[in-house]
Amino acid sequence: MKLTILGCYSATPRILANPTSQVLESQGHMFLIDCGEGTQVQLRKHKIKFNRIKHIFISHLHGDHFFGLVGLISTFRLLTRETDLHIYGPKGIKEVVTLQMKLADSWTNYQLIFHELTSKESELIFEDDKMEVHTIPLNHRVYTNGFLFKEKEGKRKLNIGAVEEANINVAYYRKLTQGFDVVNEDGINIKNESVTKPGDKPKSYAFCSDTMYKEDIVSIIENVDVLYHESTFLETQAHLAPKTKHSTAKEAATIAKKANVGKLLLGHYSTRYKDLNGFKIEAEEVFDSVELSEDGKTFEF
């Protein structure tokens, strides 16, 4: 998986600080996660081929998480896009987007497919033969979801020495990688696990946008490779977190520790803070593997 942070600050855009947006590349997919104002400029700046984006996931309908969406949809139209575009987000997102298009008389020449979400329980919202995406119900001032991206078990790898020793015809190699037992040249049934090895370990990524501390998400995100969790405040302003339904860096780290994740990425910083290192310091008091999201930074895992 490759994650590119396009924006990771809260509230309003600044000269060097963009609101939330990310691109996750995995198993041939390029998923756009949230689409704050300026997202398409960031996509161009970081040379991301955004015509590959077929699925956009919007966590909630606060402007710093979706005000860039209509602009991006419009740009796709001007670039004569023909590929379907799927948009997953809270109920109301279709109305917001289509009203602007209607008033501007700017209907797309490609199909927009909306998947409006209303459930307060985790649900599977996307699946193909390589990936699945689940919602992570969060607790914010409006209906909000995070998203869990999970690769499926990959093909098994041939143990060539064992395969040749078992006298298996090359025509059956593909079936072996798919996990099937096969019959060798001598008519003997060969167990798959005796001549293959497990494929690469499936990777997983959890995106938890705006939310106050919510411990019941732990069971959903347990053991993910990387967790992005909002950390709007430091401890000196911790009293603001419950009022605004946001989290502190320490609270994000507590969730990461309880969920036994591989790495924690902090983000959604309040622009009141000039030095982000304080977020990392506070989170590391609770959880060891912490990194700061920064606009333009990439993570491969």
Side-chain angles (χ1 to χ4, degrees):
M1 288 185 166
K2 179 181 179 182
L3 179 70
T4 302
I5 307 297
L6 302 177
C8 59
Y9 287 81
S10 66
T12 59
R14 303 294 177 90
I15 294 174
L16 299 175
N18 291 280
T20 303
S21 187
Q22 306 180 354
V23 168
L24 179 69
E25 298 176 63
S26 180
Q27 300 295 319
H29 290 290
M30 182 175 282
F31 297 122
L32 181 64
I33 309 169
D34 275 351
C35 190
E37 187 177 347
T39 292
Q40 62 176 312
V41 175
Q42 287 291 88
L43 287 166
R44 292 184 183 278
K45 180 179 178 180
H46 299 293
K47 297 180 171 55
I48 294 172
K49 296 180 180 178
F50 57 87
N51 60 310
R52 287 181 52 207
I53 296 170
K54 298 178 182 178
H55 302 271
I56 299 176
F57 298 85
I58 302 297
S59 62
H60 63 295
L61 295 181
H62 280 164
D64 54 335
H65 293 261
F66 87 102
F67 274 174
L69 182 59
V70 170
L72 182 60
I73 289 171
S74 176
T75 293
F76 281 144
R77 172 179 174 270
L78 294 173
L79 295 176
T80 64
R81 178 189 177 108
E82 296 180 355
T83 308
D84 294 351
L85 182 64
H86 293 260
I87 299 173
Y88 306 77
K91 183 175 176 58
I93 195 167
K94 179 178 180 179
E95 181 182 1
V96 169
V97 171
T98 55
L99 177 61
Q100 293 185 71
M101 294 166 58
K102 175 184 176 182
L103 295 177
D105 193 20
S106 298
W107 299 106
T108 63
N109 50 340
Y110 58 92
Q111 189 171 4
L112 273 177
I113 303 168
F114 292 92
H115 306 263
E116 293 197 308
L117 308 174
T118 58
S119 176
K120 294 185 179 180
E121 303 293 328
S122 180
E123 59 180 338
L124 177 67
I125 57 173
F126 169 82
E127 183 178 22
D128 65 7
D129 59 339
K130 295 181 179 179
M131 294 283 301
E132 55 185 46
V133 183
H134 300 255
T135 57
I136 307 169
L138 300 175
N139 185 357
H140 192 42
R141 299 193 305 278
V142 295
Y143 176 76
T144 305
N145 285 300
F147 302 102
L148 171 62
F149 300 84
K150 297 170 63 178
E151 294 179 347
K152 292 186 175 180
E153 194 78 42
K155 290 183 178 180
R156 294 185 67 82
K157 295 182 178 180
L158 298 179
N159 182 341
I160 291 297
V163 169
E164 292 176 347
E165 187 176 337
N167 197 23
I168 298 172
N169 190 291
V170 67
Y172 292 107
Y173 284 11
R174 185 177 179 185
K175 290 199 74 173
L176 286 172
T177 63
Q178 294 172 337
F180 294 102
D181 297 341
V182 299
V183 176
N184 72 0
E185 298 280 39
D186 305 311
I188 300 171
N189 190 62
I190 305 298
K191 291 291 185 182
N192 187 278
E193 59 268 20
S194 69
V195 292
T196 66
K197 298 178 287 189
D200 294 332
K201 179 181 177 293
K203 301 294 177 63
S204 55
Y205 172 63
F207 169 84
C208 292
S209 69
D210 298 19
T211 184
M212 63 185 298
Y213 182 79
K214 192 171 188 285
E215 202 167 290
D216 62 3
I217 68 172
V218 167
S219 61
I220 302 172
I221 65 174
E222 197 167 17
N223 299 320
V224 297
D225 291 284
V226 176
L227 165 66
Y228 172 94
H229 194 292
E230 78 123 280
S231 53
T232 306
F233 300 110
L234 293 175
E235 286 303 297
T236 49
Q237 282 79 35
H239 62 283
L240 296 176
K243 294 179 181 178
T244 58
K245 291 203 169 182
H246 282 297
S247 298
T248 67
K250 271 193 173 181
E251 288 174 331
T254 301
I255 293 293
K257 184 175 181 178
K258 288 181 178 293
N260 191 37
V261 308
K263 185 185 297 294
L264 170 65
L265 304 183
L266 300 176
H268 201 264
Y269 320 109
S270 168
T271 50
R272 59 166 48 81
Y273 303 107
K274 305 306 178 187
D275 180 13
L276 299 182
N277 202 46
F279 289 89
K280 191 171 190 291
I281 291 171
E282 290 191 357
E284 285 179 336
E285 293 176 7
V286 177
F287 185 73
D288 291 335
S289 185
V290 179
E291 291 201 43
L292 296 173
S293 298
E294 296 177 38
D295 291 8
K297 194 171 184 179
T298 60
F299 301 90
E300 296 193 37
F301 51 98

